[in-house]
Amino acid sequence: MLNDTIRLLKSHRSIREFDPTKGVSVSQAKTIIETAMAAPNWINGQQVSVIEIRDKDRKSKLAYAAGNQKWIEEAPVFFVFCLDFYRAKVAADKNGNKFQIADSIEAIIVGSTDVGIAIANATAAAESMGLGIVPIGGIRRNPDTYIDILDLPEYVYPISGLVVGHPRAIPEQKPRLPLEAVHHKEKYNKEQQRALMDDYDQTVSAYMAERTNGQDISNWSSKVAHFYDNGFEAYQKAVAPALKNKVFVII
């Protein structure tokens, strides 16, 4: 049975055009972060920190580092969500314990998961106030730039950004994979994946054609396949070295 919360969550659109005449208030930003921090997290370790950026010059530099994503500059607020084990290191020092989590890939899994849950909460909070958002995974193209500009200490690493502002235009909702492709019962159903993908590719191609007046008829599988063939090179080169520089062990 649908309620207002479920309707809000199901109506999400990523917004990349923002009204320059409307800002995001301090109280709105505070509410978004409070909601993010109320999210579930591993062992109540609260392995997330969020940097709020409003300075135009700083946003411009961060937009360039994320792959020239202009909406970072245009939106009034840009949040950078980081996995954060710095506080855990301080806690270990305070209590005379060894700090071993950063020596395991588990730290990256835990921190990234906690960031993802926090961003989901932040997204729902922002959209409930009539604001638009778009997550920015592109910050990991040049993580060292983000680390330097935001003065992130050891054991803190930027995972994703979140642009927030008042929408100037709201696009049509992108079609998602059919539920049968992602909702498995009792065991993973791999036999249906190709057939469901074929149907979904047609849906996405029609969606793209309508949005671009026939200029783009690309489908979902071609875009994903291309990106994971060579589109993620910048991330591949930058992420692991930056993590190691923040004293995480990557095996």
Side-chain angles (χ1 to χ4, degrees):
M1 186 174 179
L2 293 181
N3 56 37
D4 290 344
T5 301
I6 293 172
R7 289 189 186 94
L8 173 71
L9 294 173
K10 292 182 69 174
S11 66
H12 165 72
R13 276 98 162 149
S14 288
I15 303 298
R16 293 179 174 84
E17 294 182 57
F18 296 95
D19 186 339
T21 67
K22 296 181 179 179
V24 174
S25 71
V26 171
S27 63
Q28 285 176 316
K30 182 172 181 279
T31 298
I32 290 169
I33 300 306
E34 287 175 337
T35 306
M37 293 307 151
N41 62 91
W42 196 52
I43 70 159
N44 195 34
Q46 302 173 73
Q47 288 88 198
V48 178
S49 281
V50 187
I51 316 296
E52 177 181 337
I53 301 106
R54 293 178 182 264
D55 180 79
K56 290 183 178 180
D57 182 59
R58 185 171 280 111
K59 282 195 299 174
S60 178
K61 292 175 181 176
L62 295 176
Y64 180 77
N68 292 314
Q69 299 195 51
K70 61 187 174 90
W71 32 89
I72 294 175
E73 293 184 77
E74 293 172 354
V77 180
F78 181 43
F79 296 112
V80 176
F81 283 71
C82 305
L83 67 80
D84 185 348
F85 284 93
Y86 179 77
R87 285 186 294 271
K89 176 63 166 64
V90 173
D93 293 343
K94 175 181 177 180
N95 290 277
N97 291 104
K98 293 180 180 178
F99 182 68
Q100 301 186 70
I101 183 66
D103 296 335
S104 168
I105 194 67
E106 185 73 2
I108 310 306
I109 295 173
V110 167
S112 298
T113 300
D114 283 359
V115 164
I117 298 170
I119 284 181
N121 267 29
T123 295
E127 291 180 339
S128 75
M129 292 186 277
L131 300 170
I133 67 94
V134 60
I136 308 292
I139 71 172
R140 298 189 306 279
R141 292 173 60 93
N142 291 290
D144 285 331
T145 299
Y146 276 74
I147 289 166
D148 290 343
I149 290 176
L150 303 179
D151 196 22
L152 302 183
E154 60 183 4
Y155 306 114
V156 179
Y157 189 84
I159 296 295
S160 183
L162 190 70
V163 170
V164 180
H166 288 268
R168 185 171 63 192
I170 299 177
E172 289 295 320
Q173 191 172 36
K174 287 182 180 178
R176 293 296 199 249
L177 283 160
L179 204 59
E180 295 84 354
V182 299
H183 183 195
H184 308 270
K185 298 182 180 179
E186 309 299 339
K187 63 177 184 177
Y188 193 97
N189 184 357
K190 61 180 181 290
E191 288 78 14
Q192 281 189 301
Q193 292 297 316
R194 177 57 188 269
L196 291 168
M197 189 181 299
D198 289 344
D199 290 342
Y200 181 57
D201 273 346
Q202 293 182 29
T203 300
V204 171
S205 183
Y207 167 83
M208 294 302 299
E210 183 177 351
R211 287 196 66 191
T212 64
N213 293 320
Q215 298 300 306
D216 183 354
I217 58 171
S218 60
N219 60 40
W220 179 83
S221 68
S222 65
K223 287 186 174 181
V224 170
H226 175 75
F227 183 83
Y228 288 130
D229 182 15
N230 55 31
F232 72 108
E233 261 185 49
Y235 301 84
Q236 189 176 25
K237 291 177 180 178
V239 170
L243 278 166
K244 290 178 181 177
N245 287 340
K246 301 310 288 180
V247 207
F248 290 102
V249 173
I250 307 299
I251 298 174

